[in-house]
Amino acid sequence: MRGTREKAEVAKQSLLRAIKGDLGSLAPEWERAFVAAPRHRFLPSLIWLDVKDRWVPCVREKEPGRWLEAAYANSPVVTQVNDGRPPGADGVWPSSSASAPSIVFRMLEMLDIHDGMRLLEIGTGSGWNAGLLAARLGGDRVTSVEVDRALAERARDVLAENGHGPLVVFADGAEGYSGRAPYDRIVSTCSVRRVPYAWVEQSRPGTVVLTPWDNPWFCYGLLRLVVAEDGTASGRFAPHSAFMLMRGQRSDIRLFRDLVRDEHRPDESFTGLSPWKVTTSDRSARFGVGLWLGDVWHAWDEDPEENGAEARLWLATTDASSGSWAAVDWDGKQKDRFRVRQYGPRRLWDETEAAYQRWRAAGDPGPERFGLTVTRDGQVPWIDRPPTGIGRATLV
């Protein structure tokens, strides 16, 4: 037992040094929270490790050394797969995780928390983040909402066992939690494509709302909003990390099940814009294009069953009812001429080209130049500064 405690202490100190190295420094109050809420105490016995692009189980009682190494690595740890169901025909896919410690503490410091504040966390997960927040503010100041009943119950028990007493609520985080509103800070541990307006409604003026960002085109970035007196919230993106999407915002659209039909007769044209420039080039291009496109996703087919096509980029929307799709083909030879087919009321490749040209015209901006304004009616992206007036036509 003593050997195990010593190994855990060495691992904790190593992780703390890694966090400070990544962030440059760590505020004393967060270092104290790190000590008060050790990460390994919040992880379940069964975790899942990425081994050669396969998720394999690791059980603490069977592989204590390997489990402890994962617990104190500066990396995310998958704590649940398949929404808690046994893996089946759809394989093994992560559905909950403990985020990488460096990004956890980066987000905590971005919140700019002060004594006496009331905080709402969206996505309890393992409970570690809630434990850190409770260690900093006191459990009576922290409310954490979890959409998965099993995760909520486990986190509530683990937090109590470790002397932390935040309120853990089993509910849909998109609705926030009005029972303790208004809040001074709201932080989400899952990414969103649309910022729930309930978070703004349950905030005081001046409240910071911090959430990872997801886009069907490119999942990347953190969004830090500040709530205004007029019931809107505006803020900028930061170029950090990718998180699992909020469950209520997931989509299950499949090209040949939901969109593309044999009887479709798409319009054909050619483009000089390489599809790789908007999908596999630098992160800034993908982020900007995706933010402007809003609800458009893409998928590569590296072996299309069609003569004359060596690779194909498919585009579609997250709403199958739109009936719109596009395909861009590379013939394996040309570098500046690609065949385009587009079907439906929206011309998705035309929209993609326009978004890319807009990004170039703005000077190839990175995520930190982009921002978002959230209102009761929707949200609008912008570059450099919020718009002075937001009409319904500009909201996405």
Side-chain angles (χ1 to χ4, degrees):
M1 182 66 70
R2 181 178 178 182
T4 301
R5 287 199 299 267
E6 290 175 348
K7 289 179 181 179
E9 186 59 33
V10 170
K12 284 166 55 180
Q13 293 305 315
S14 177
L15 176 56
L16 184 58
R17 288 192 297 271
I19 294 169
K20 290 180 177 179
D22 277 1
L23 303 186
S25 64
L26 187 63
E29 58 267 28
W30 290 122
E31 186 166 347
R32 290 193 292 270
F34 176 89
V35 172
R39 191 187 195 211
H40 75 277
R41 292 185 184 174
F42 293 87
L43 300 184
S45 174
L46 171 63
I47 59 177
W48 297 79
L49 306 179
D50 185 356
V51 179
K52 297 180 179 179
D53 295 326
R54 292 179 58 250
W55 293 106
V56 298
C58 175
V59 179
R60 177 174 49 201
E61 290 75 15
K62 294 181 179 179
E63 300 179 278
R66 191 182 188 195
W67 186 94
L68 186 64
E69 181 181 359
Y72 282 108
N74 195 12
S75 303
V77 175
V78 172
T79 54
Q80 185 199 66
V81 298
N82 299 52
D83 287 343
R85 298 184 298 271
D90 57 347
V92 177
W93 45 274
S95 53
S96 186
S97 68
S99 301
S102 283
I103 193 64
V104 167
F105 282 95
R106 184 185 300 278
M107 291 177 66
L108 292 175
E109 294 206 323
M110 287 175 69
L111 283 168
D112 188 28
I113 290 174
H114 301 282
D115 292 347
M117 286 185 167
R118 300 179 69 87
L119 182 141
L120 173 66
E121 178 192 45
I122 308 299
T124 315
S126 70
W128 185 46
N129 200 66
L132 293 169
L133 289 164
R136 170 67 181 85
L137 287 171
D140 61 331
R141 295 276 171 179
V142 178
T143 303
S144 186
V145 180
E146 173 56 56
V147 72
D148 186 302
R149 183 185 294 275
L151 292 179
E153 292 176 350
R154 181 191 175 277
R156 187 182 295 121
D157 292 343
V158 172
L159 284 160
E161 289 170 4
N162 285 276
H164 306 289
L167 175 64
V168 178
V169 180
F170 166 56
D172 183 355
E175 302 299 324
Y177 182 68
S178 60
R180 282 189 166 183
Y183 301 99
D184 302 292
R185 295 291 186 268
I186 295 180
V187 61
S188 176
T189 64
C190 57
S191 61
V192 298
R193 293 175 175 174
R194 300 175 302 281
V195 177
Y197 190 69
W199 299 357
V200 180
E201 286 184 308
Q202 294 172 19
S203 298
R204 305 178 194 276
T207 291
V208 172
V209 178
L210 181 64
T211 180
W213 183 252
D214 183 278
N215 179 271
W217 196 266
F218 184 42
C219 176
Y220 183 66
L222 295 173
L223 175 62
R224 187 181 190 272
L225 302 168
V226 178
V227 177
E229 293 274 0
D230 63 0
T232 66
S234 290
R236 296 182 181 276
F237 292 93
H240 302 294
S241 199
F243 284 67
M244 294 179 189
L245 181 62
M246 175 176 280
R247 293 190 186 184
Q249 295 188 10
R250 292 175 182 172
S251 58
D252 180 23
I253 306 297
R254 302 184 189 182
L255 279 168
F256 298 106
R257 184 192 69 185
D258 303 314
L259 285 169
V260 181
R261 300 286 185 267
D262 291 339
E263 63 270 20
H264 287 175
R265 295 295 178 263
D267 296 330
E268 295 194 17
S269 59
F270 289 89
T271 181
L273 175 61
S274 167
W276 283 279
K277 283 192 175 181
V278 292
T279 57
T280 58
S281 60
D282 64 60
R283 291 178 173 180
S284 295
R286 286 185 284 165
F287 183 87
V289 168
L291 186 61
W292 277 315
L293 288 176
D295 63 347
V296 181
W297 59 276
H298 68 273
W300 277 99
D301 183 352
E302 301 291 350
D303 188 25
E305 296 179 0
E306 185 170 334
N307 292 334
E310 291 293 321
R312 174 173 297 154
L313 176 67
W314 287 100
L315 295 84
T317 67
T318 56
D319 179 8
S321 66
S322 75
S324 299
W325 58 265
V328 184
D329 287 352
W330 177 57
D331 64 6
K333 301 174 184 178
Q334 302 274 0
K335 295 183 179 180
D336 56 3
R337 183 176 168 83
F338 306 87
R339 185 177 70 151
V340 178
R341 288 176 294 168
Q342 302 184 87
Y343 181 84
R346 292 178 61 179
R347 292 300 185 252
L348 298 183
W349 180 251
D350 292 350
E351 291 184 26
T352 302
E353 279 195 320
Y356 179 75
Q357 296 304 330
R358 187 178 179 184
W359 175 77
R360 291 302 310 273
D364 302 0
E368 65 280 355
R369 282 185 57 195
F370 285 93
L372 195 78
T373 294
V374 179
T375 76
R376 184 179 299 276
D377 297 318
Q379 56 192 30
V380 59
W382 41 266
I383 294 181
D384 294 333
R385 62 184 62 85
T388 55
I390 300 175
R392 288 177 179 270
T394 64
L395 294 167
V396 295

